[in-house]
Amino acid sequence: MPKAATTSSARPALRRNQACLSCRKRKLKCDAARPHCGTCVKQWQSLISVPPPVGYAHPTEPQCSYDPIEGLPMAANADPSDRIRMLEDQISQLKSQLNDSRHYSSRSASPSRHAQFVRNGNHFPSTSSNNGRTPDESPTAGGIVLPHASLDVLQQLSPGSSDSHPRGSTGSPELRHGHQHHVADPFMDVLFSGWDPDLPDPDTLDHYIDVFFKCDPCGSRVLHRPTFLASMHLHPKDENYPHPAILHAICASASRWTSQDIVTLPDGTRRDKFADLHVSKTRSYIDRTMATGQDIFPVMQACIILSWYFYQEGRWVEVWIFAGFQTRAAIPLRLNYPGTFSPIGAASPGAYLAPPKDLKDLESRRRTWWMTVMFDRIASVGGWVHGIDERDIGTELPLRRIDFENEPTLATLTHNPQDLHNEGVFVQHPPQYTDPFILFLKAVMLFGKVTDYNTRSNLRANAPPSKNQNPFALPGFEDLDRLVAQDFLQSFPHEYKHLGVGDNGGALETDLYMAHVVPHAATITLHNPYLNFSDPRSISTSRCINATRSILAAYYKMSETSLDITRLHPFATICWYLAAVVQTQLCKYFIEIGDTAREQTVWGEINALRFAMLTYGSRSPIGTRQERLLQGLMTEIVRMTSQMQPLEVGVPLYPFSHAGVFSKETMPQDRTGAPLPDSLQYPEATESPTSLGALGGISTSSSPASWTSPTMRSSRPYSHSVSSTYPPQ
């Protein structure tokens, strides 16, 4: 029978390459239907009608794709090479269109730091374009990198729009009001200057860097500030431009003082979206360096800055992990050798890093090493084994900060002659090589000696320390006690005998403040296992009480001023907590013997320390976390006490203090304050490195004895002298 004639409504013949790729490959008829042709649909239906073999899964849709056609989206299962080719064509077209729209001869300078740009009236030409770290070697991208915004958003950014500044995330601080250029399209300038699109815009980043160096008491110590600030004026792809991992870490750290995008979760945990973004970017660089070894030294510096951020946030698991990582990473770099480099030993593996190129590089390595060791010691407080033994540290102590940042002086002082193996390093402080940071470093290393002693003494002991035990009969205890409780603080140079809290309205010297407080916290840690309030002749009890008095006196002294307590080093919260632990045990003792008057005095001192932690916690969560942990210890004595409202008992501070008493009206209206909540609501507190169990088992039992309460007197000046006996009755 002859075929029917073709009607006018029949589908016209397909043009070349209009059929789907699958039908063309198998030379089948195709109706070019979208998204899947009829032939591919029928074959897919036949396929799924039969159960798949074991270990195999049928495709969820027909395997049908087409050549890209302008105006039509490409199928999700298209060949990756075709998708790459299409994206490259689109990028080329966009670049061509944007370049045509730019008129360099008639435009003022861009706020971005690209070649031949003008900023504040000065030209900063690019000296190199081979850095390649930003953004070409970003751990999350390769080739040409576009910001995280759609093309529609790019087209909508008008020259005068306030949205034309890529912030990287919300929550960035308000920019400083100063001389700013009005530019036609700064977003596009940033895009084509090689700027890392994950960073805030240059002006905002400058603000974060300024805040970081002014306010951060931790990570800023590893960087040479003059060189770092000068390098920020280079082209982003210059080899001397700061590594993006360091910039992201600085943004995360500085967000404590500037971020406005903080969300409080139902459990009281704070989340900073801006900081979390830059934490994730820094960790991406760290992960890449762990896999490839690229840029290991600057990434290690970024790791140190990020570690201190985790410590301030009270994120203990990340603190311990980063402490171990950076300590072990510094060993193959030979940073623990004198001069941070050692070519000795042909059979031993050489240093991963080349010798320092100049004295500034040498001192930067020293400071990076010592900040690594300091973080390891602070993270180990409570009885954890250190990541590196003190006997394996041969690096000289760092130079004074003023000498480090002054290049002419740095050229005359090649190194600090002091190291941990010098006899009398903890009691001899040469003026030319001593400043508050070095004293603070020595205090932390002294605390490390206490941790080593407690850890090694208990490692193979048959029984835990007892309150009835005389610790001075133990080998090495008396010498360590004398060094920690007396000799170190008494050996301070005259100009560093004060607390550094600016009695005459000066600035806070947080390193010097911590250098005075940390030895008292170390004394409590050393003697706390032997605390016995029932024995008036117990030297360990006397040491703990006097150390607690000194920590309280230092806090009261700072309360006289208008200085911001949140600018202190975060380790201060641990020192307050250790003092509060002693006061909690003392309060329980007074409850048991029925001494209501002295019990009330101690309640006031405990609340003073709680208030300090909560105040610090308003900016750094570590303060709130330590206060919650303290509440768990106070649960028992709150149930035992006869005081009506013990958590609101106040203690007078010094005259003209910013707070006189801790009344109900002045106590923070926060659920972490009074009244005492159930400690079971805060399971994360058990992860704290200063938990009660980690301190070696604090003794809380006592029997009646005649002991005088350490009442704080407003006229008593701060003093770090320690008596070996109790105060007179």
Side-chain angles (χ1 to χ4, degrees), residues 315-503:
R315 293 158 64 167
W316 301 122
V317 174
E318 290 161 303
V319 165
W320 297 328
I321 291 175
F322 272 69
F325 164 72
Q326 61 197 31
T327 303
R328 290 307 308 169
I331 300 302
L333 304 185
R334 296 290 180 93
L335 298 182
N336 62 317
Y337 277 73
T340 69
F341 181 81
S342 175
I344 301 175
S348 61
Y352 193 92
L353 293 178
K357 57 185 178 181
D358 52 32
L359 294 176
K360 183 169 55 181
D361 186 29
L362 171 61
E363 185 62 19
S364 295
R365 294 188 184 186
R366 284 198 193 105
R367 285 181 164 259
T368 300
W369 165 253
W370 281 112
M371 286 302 295
T372 299
V373 175
M374 176 182 284
F375 186 79
D376 173 66
R377 263 50 185 177
I378 289 179
S380 301
V381 166
W384 312 113
V385 177
H386 293 145
I388 182 171
D389 194 284
E390 181 180 306
R391 295 168 293 185
D392 299 323
I393 301 177
T395 312
E396 310 89 351
L397 293 179
L399 297 174
R400 298 184 302 176
R401 185 174 184 178
I402 189 174
D403 296 330
F404 176 47
E405 296 183 352
N406 188 351
E407 294 195 25
T409 307
L410 184 62
T412 62
L413 300 173
T414 57
H415 68 279
N416 189 329
Q418 300 179 99
D419 60 49
L420 294 182
H421 302 285
N422 291 140
E423 184 178 357
V425 65
F426 292 105
V427 294
Q428 297 175 4
H429 315 287
Q432 194 176 9
Y433 301 101
T434 300
D435 70 354
F437 173 70
I438 296 176
L439 291 175
F440 179 31
L441 174 59
K442 290 182 177 181
V444 171
M445 296 306 297
L446 201 58
F447 206 136
K449 283 181 171 290
V450 173
T451 302
D452 282 337
Y453 185 88
N454 288 347
T455 303
R456 293 168 183 168
S457 299
N458 299 331
L459 186 62
R460 294 181 177 86
N462 296 326
S466 170
K467 66 175 184 177
N468 298 320
Q469 184 179 1
N470 179 17
F472 289 89
L474 301 175
F477 186 93
E478 184 175 358
D479 293 337
L480 182 59
D481 167 71
R482 184 184 305 110
L483 179 62
V484 173
Q486 295 179 339
D487 294 349
F488 176 67
L489 284 169
Q490 292 176 358
S491 66
F492 274 23
H494 178 72
E495 60 271 25
Y496 298 122
K497 291 284 188 180
H498 62 91
L499 275 172
V501 294
D503 294 335

Side-chain angles (χ1 to χ4, degrees), residues 207-221 223 249-250 253-254 257 305:
H207 181 50
Y208 276 112
I209 292 172
D210 182 60
V211 169
F212 174 73
F213 280 108
K214 287 183 178 179
C215 301
D216 188 86
C218 307
S220 60
R221 306 296 190 261
L223 301 175
I250 287 176
S253 181
W257 292 274
I305 297 173

Side-chain angles (χ1 to χ4, degrees), residues 622-688:
I622 185 177
T624 304
R625 289 178 179 269
Q626 290 304 120
E627 196 273 339
R628 289 176 179 175
L629 182 60
L630 177 61
Q631 288 186 10
L633 299 180
M634 296 166 59
T635 303
E636 182 180 1
I637 62 172
V638 168
R639 295 169 181 169
M640 294 171 56
T641 182
S642 59
Q643 299 288 334
M644 293 298 296
Q645 292 180 316
L647 298 181
E648 297 179 10
V649 174
V651 57
L653 301 184
Y654 282 91
F656 312 108
S657 170
H658 72 280
V661 294
F662 294 95
S663 63
K664 185 173 183 179
E665 290 74 16
T666 59
M667 286 295 291
Q669 298 300 317
D670 185 87
R671 71 184 193 89
T672 59
L676 180 66
D678 187 356
S679 62
L680 297 179
Q681 296 178 7
Y682 308 106
E684 71 275 12
T686 59
E687 299 177 356
S688 172

Side-chain angles (χ1 to χ4, degrees), residues 21-92:
L21 299 178
S22 178
C23 291
R24 283 158 49 188
K25 182 177 181 180
R26 293 185 290 177
K27 298 182 179 179
L28 300 175
K29 289 185 178 181
C30 181
D31 58 7
R34 301 293 178 124
H36 309 299
C37 73
T39 303
C40 291
V41 170
K42 290 179 181 179
Q43 291 186 346
W44 176 70
Q45 290 175 343
S46 300
L47 179 65
I48 64 175
S49 64
V50 180
V54 178
Y56 176 79
H58 288 318
T60 58
E61 61 182 12
Q63 303 300 296
C64 181
S65 60
Y66 294 88
D67 288 336
I69 299 177
E70 185 175 0
L72 293 177
M74 180 176 288
N77 58 352
D79 188 351
S81 60
D82 294 335
R83 297 180 64 85
I84 293 174
R85 190 183 313 112
M86 183 192 69
L87 292 174
E88 289 178 344
D89 292 341
Q90 291 180 357
I91 291 173
S92 298

